Every structure is written in structure tokens, then in C-alpha cells.
Amino acid sequence: MQAQTGASVLTLLKAKGSLSIDDAVEGALSSSDYRSSRDTYMEAWTIDGKAGESVTIDMISDDFDAFLFVVGPGLDETLYDDDSGGGCHARLSFTFLENGPFQIVTTSTGPRAAGVYSLRASSEPGPGAGYECGGVNPASLTALPVGDTISTSLTAMGWFTPESQMIMEGRYAAAYALVGRAGEKLTVTLESDDFDA
């Protein structure tokens, strides 16, 4: 979490709706939204805070690199975050210093990035995504259908086509079953003259 000082134009954005603690809403950035001086789309939501109450706000999106702002009473600085939620998800944890409505502003790091997102407010923060922005979601690897079974004496041949499964944009992947014995040491080699393996 980071902060910046000074009055903010973020307080002037008209809210799309409200968010409650231990609840979530769905939103979408699009060309119909307000466009910032950084050429990013922005949407605003409100949350009612009580002085002394702590909250964690998560902005989760698989469509773009999420970026989050919070402004409100008692905050002399604008709070903001990029990737603290793991993956390319934003997360802000803070304590309300005063009662009143706070403005949550959702946006992206890249210009005119559009897509859907989930916005969640939690009294107890859950685990983050568990991987870095730009990294591969482990769940997408375990979800791959398993193809041929390989062993220490077998070489498998494979290829990618436009119909092959992707684990992230522009990155194809295939899964194989590996047969091994307890205590056995193996070296698995992937070679290709067509791409960086």
C-alpha cells in the first residue's frame, strides 16, 4: 500500500454503487467510463466506514492489471496499490480514522485497459493469489488435460496449434503424466527449434 498527499479529483467521480464490508460487487472498465489523465478508465464505489474499523479491499481481474485508490474523511493522503493482492490484483488494508463514506476508485495500470473485475471488502483478509503479476496461475496448470504418459525410457513428441490450450495470453501449454519410482532422480528436457521452451 502506498499514499500520496494533496486533494484528489477522485472524490469528484460519481459512484456506480456501494460496497459493504464482507461483501463483493462486480464491475467492468470500458470506454463509457471516466478517462483519467493517464488515459486509464476509472470507476468509483462508496463504502461506509466506522472509526477504528479495519478493512481490506481487493480488486481482482484476469482481464487487466488492477490498480486501486481510496480517499475519504480522516485520510490526509490518497491510498493506492497495484499488485499487493498477488498476481496482477490490487489490495489495500487500512483502518478507518473517521466515520463516513469513503470513495474506492478502480482502474488499471495500462492505458484504456478494459474488462471485468471483482471488488471485495473484508474484515479479515484472505490469502492472495500466490503468484506474481505476469506469472502463471498454478490453478491453470493443474486444470490442463493430461495427455501421454512418459517414463525414463520414453521420448514424447508434441506440437502446439492455434487450437491448443493457453495458460495465459499468448502462452500455450500441454500436460503429460510422468511415471517415476520413489528415490529415483530424473532430468526432464523440453526442446524446440520453433519457440523458446
Side-chain angles (χ1 to χ4, degrees):
M1 179 180 74
Q2 299 184 44
Q4 59 187 27
T5 58
S8 175
V9 69
L10 302 176
T11 59
L12 304 177
L13 291 177
K14 182 178 179 181
K16 294 186 67 68
S18 62
L19 178 65
S20 301
I21 293 182
D22 294 324
D23 199 7
V25 294
E26 302 295 320
L29 297 180
S30 71
S31 58
S32 63
D33 291 322
Y34 172 82
R35 205 165 79 213
S36 74
S37 59
R38 297 185 302 115
D39 204 22
T40 60
Y41 302 129
M42 307 179 90
E43 290 187 342
W45 301 80
T46 59
I47 185 169
D48 285 325
K50 295 179 181 178
E53 188 175 36
S54 296
V55 65
T56 295
I57 299 173
D58 286 289
M59 180 185 178
I60 300 167
S61 178
D62 292 325
D63 293 339
F64 53 84
D65 188 351
F67 200 95
L68 193 59
F69 292 100
V70 173
V71 291
L75 295 178
D76 295 331
E77 303 172 319
T78 299
L79 306 180
Y80 63 93
D81 184 73
D82 184 3
D83 298 328
S84 293
C88 295
H89 311 314
R91 168 176 282 190
L92 281 171
S93 295
F94 63 99
T95 300
F96 296 112
L97 301 178
E98 295 181 13
N99 296 333
F102 288 73
Q103 187 99 317
I104 302 168
V105 177
T106 58
T107 185
S108 64
T109 58
R112 302 193 192 192
V116 298
Y117 64 86
S118 175
L119 188 65
R120 182 176 62 229
S122 309
S123 53
E124 294 291 335
Y131 58 98
E132 296 181 358
C133 188
V136 176
N137 184 346
S140 66
L141 297 177
T142 57
L144 286 169
V146 178
D148 293 336
T149 298
I150 60 175
S151 66
T152 54
S153 59
L154 178 66
T155 298
M157 300 291 292
W159 56 89
F160 294 127
T161 70
E163 288 73 40
S164 295
Q165 189 154 347
M166 286 189 184
I167 53 172
M168 59 189 301
E169 185 65 31
R171 185 174 292 182
Y172 296 105
Y176 294 85
L178 175 63
V179 177
R181 296 184 181 90
E184 183 180 30
K185 293 183 178 179
L186 298 176
T187 298
V188 179
T189 304
L190 174 63
E191 299 177 345
S192 176
D193 293 327
D194 296 330
F195 57 85
D196 187 356

